[in-house]
Amino acid sequence: KAGVTQTPRYLIKTRGQQVTLSCSPISGHRSVSWYQQTPGQGLQFLFEYFSETQRNKGNFPGRFSGRQFSNSRSEMNVSTLELGDSALYLCASSLGGPEDTQYFGPGTRLTVL
Amino acid sequence: AQTVTQSQPEMSVQEAETVTLSCTYDTSENNYYLFWYKQPPSRQMILVIRQEAYKQQNATENRFSVNFQKAAKSFSLKISDSQLGDTAMYFCAFMHVLNTDKLIFGTGTRLQVFP
């Protein structure tokens, strides 16, 4: 089975712009979670989607949003980018139950100038 | 709120030796899972081992084992016969059973294995 894929792998944006990141889960997985990884704040949970519904949400401002499509692919959008949004954005997929392992993608490195 | 603490920012070990990484957590919940994830320099996060809080037996996965002390809220990872490929960041993580797929991570321990 193919692993979790994320596109693009690298992205450079300027302040005030918006960005959309994409995550394709492992085939058959219905849950996709998003995490932000920065040197200062570490790994922080953004949100999780299961069967097109947001099931869990972290403590991020409303500029961060996401959605999931019927094929389980997920997108994450950040509007009005700030310098502090520079980070590695990781997504993970699973079958969706508490006993199920989350598999991570390689991440998208976002740089905001 | 749950928190996860890894008090060792960096560790080093010689190849073939054993090393233990520490993790403590704070929660008022009773049903949860604990994980160790490995993030090599290539950045792909990989699950190393998981422990269900309701299981008293410590989880083992080949050279990796945990010492789970529920009352002390401690969850350490022991790596036996360390290999150069074990060089990575190691993250301890917590998940409550009612918050499936919402992992709360510690700050990580950078492990360097020397030949």
Side-chain angles (χ1 to χ4, degrees):
Chain A
K1 269 187 184 178
V4 178
T5 58
Q6 293 186 244
T7 56
R9 293 292 311 279
Y10 301 91
L11 207 48
I12 299 175
K13 292 286 188 178
T14 55
R15 278 181 298 175
Q17 287 186 310
Q18 76 162 14
V19 67
T20 299
L21 311 182
S22 181
C23 174
S24 292
I26 291 171
S27 178
H29 285 190
R30 296 167 65 188
S31 169
V32 174
S33 302
W34 289 89
Y35 296 85
Q36 182 196 64
Q37 185 174 22
T38 61
Q41 299 297 317
L43 277 154
Q44 295 186 87
F45 173 81
L46 281 153
F47 31 66
E48 182 241 353
Y49 287 85
F50 179 79
S51 293
E52 301 180 65
T53 301
Q54 188 179 85
R55 190 165 63 169
N56 278 304
K57 190 177 189 306
N59 298 321
F60 277 80
R63 300 186 297 106
F64 292 82
S65 63
R67 59 177 175 169
Q68 187 179 34
F69 302 94
S70 58
N71 63 357
S72 294
R73 188 178 70 86
S74 177
E75 287 182 347
M76 190 192 96
N77 185 273
V78 188
S79 63
T80 319
L81 283 166
E82 300 176 0
L83 295 179
D85 298 333
S86 294
L88 181 68
Y89 290 88
L90 297 170
C91 82
S93 77
S94 82
L95 291 170
E99 297 282 332
D100 299 317
T101 298
Q102 284 192 66
Y103 295 88
F104 282 80
T108 293
R109 169 73 64 187
L110 171 65
T111 301
V112 182
L113 302 176
Chain B
Q2 294 88 6
T3 59
V4 178
T5 301
Q6 293 180 250
S7 58
Q8 305 154 315
E10 294 185 359
M11 295 274 289
S12 62
V13 64
Q14 197 153 22
E15 206 175 2
E17 297 296 308
T18 296
V19 63
T20 299
L21 309 183
S22 302
C23 173
T24 59
Y25 59 95
D26 188 24
T27 183
S28 58
E29 306 295 340
N30 199 44
N31 297 318
Y32 52 87
Y33 295 83
L34 294 164
F35 307 83
W36 279 98
Y37 276 89
K38 167 185 176 182
Q39 190 178 41
S42 67
R43 294 288 186 179
Q44 192 109 17
M45 192 88 73
I46 305 164
L47 176 66
V48 175
I49 199 165
R50 64 182 284 155
Q51 174 81 42
E52 293 83 353
Y54 63 84
K55 289 186 178 178
Q56 291 186 340
Q57 187 172 5
N58 289 324
T60 299
E61 197 70 47
N62 300 316
R63 298 182 295 108
F64 300 88
S65 61
V66 298
N67 183 3
F68 174 47
Q69 302 289 328
K70 190 173 184 179
K73 297 179 182 175
S74 170
F75 182 62
S76 61
L77 173 71
K78 186 172 84 170
I79 306 174
S80 304
D81 186 25
S82 298
Q83 301 176 359
L84 296 178
D86 295 334
T87 293
M89 281 289 288
Y90 285 81
F91 293 95
C92 178
F94 171 100
M95 185 187 82
H96 186 256
V97 293
L98 295 181
N99 284 327
T100 304
D101 289 346
K102 179 181 178 179
L103 292 170
I104 298 169
F105 285 93
T107 51
T109 296
R110 183 177 304 278
L111 177 67
Q112 179 73 50
V113 180
F114 291 97

